[in-house]
Amino acid sequence: MENTYNLVRWKPFFKPNFLTGPFKPMYGIVPVLLVILIQPAMPLELVLFLCLIVPLLVEYITGALLLRLFSIRYWDYRHLRFQLHGHVALGYAICWMVLSYGVVIYLHPSVRTLYMLLSRDWLALFPLYFIYFTLDVIWAVRRHLNLRKSSIRYRPI
């Protein structure tokens, strides 16, 4: 969805990411946190609040850490009203809330069912995925630290 938005808005289909592989940890961390935090008997207002605040916090912390540690911004909301340090903005937070709610309520049950069907295969493949992800993180951190050391400042599209 993000890549389609980029294509329509800015023309390139893919944006550069921190990692090289097909990983977007922020998009995985938020649903996992929400699935852990949201309980079946919770009132809708609390569920929506969590679907607003969890992505907002993860996006803010991620943006602040990327800027602090690597001097890069993969998104910049400073030009928008109701933003905080360019890392989060109210309009996007509301979009994330709606998307998060949809993921937790509608998508997660299907993913959970699929996981249960494939759990035996997943257990066998998990070590490979974990090694691949870990190596990607290590390589990305080293790459970005080297760029920072060489005083190359870049700002991805």
Side-chain angles (χ1 to χ4, degrees), residues 91-154:
Y92 284 98
I94 292 169
C95 290
W96 287 122
M97 178 188 72
V98 171
L99 291 169
S100 295
Y101 182 79
V103 164
V104 170
I105 301 303
Y106 300 109
L107 184 62
H108 177 68
S110 299
V111 170
R112 184 176 185 172
T113 301
L114 181 62
Y115 173 78
M116 296 309 283
L117 290 171
L118 301 174
S119 62
R120 199 182 231 163
D121 298 326
W122 174 244
L123 288 174
L125 293 174
F126 176 76
L128 297 174
Y129 288 123
F130 183 77
I131 291 168
Y132 176 36
F133 177 75
T134 302
L135 291 173
D136 196 354
V137 169
I138 291 167
W139 188 77
V141 168
R142 291 184 73 190
R143 178 171 44 101
H144 285 84
L145 286 175
N146 287 337
L147 286 171
R148 184 174 180 178
K149 283 180 189 173
S150 65
S151 75
I152 296 173
R153 300 281 193 245
Y154 71 97

Side-chain angles (χ1 to χ4, degrees), residues 16 18 35 44 130:
F18 183 78
V35 165
L44 178 61
F130 183 77

Side-chain angles (χ1 to χ4, degrees), residues 30-74:
V30 169
V32 168
L33 289 173
L34 289 172
V35 165
I36 290 168
L37 293 171
I38 294 173
Q39 301 302 314
M42 276 188 179
L44 178 61
E45 296 82 8
L46 183 55
V47 171
L48 291 175
F49 176 75
L50 288 171
C51 286
L52 174 72
I53 201 71
V54 170
L56 188 93
L57 288 172
V58 170
E59 186 175 29
Y60 184 86
I61 291 167
T62 303
L65 284 173
L66 286 171
L67 187 59
R68 176 84 170 135
L69 297 175
F70 305 107
S71 301
I72 56 175
R73 285 183 181 268
Y74 281 102

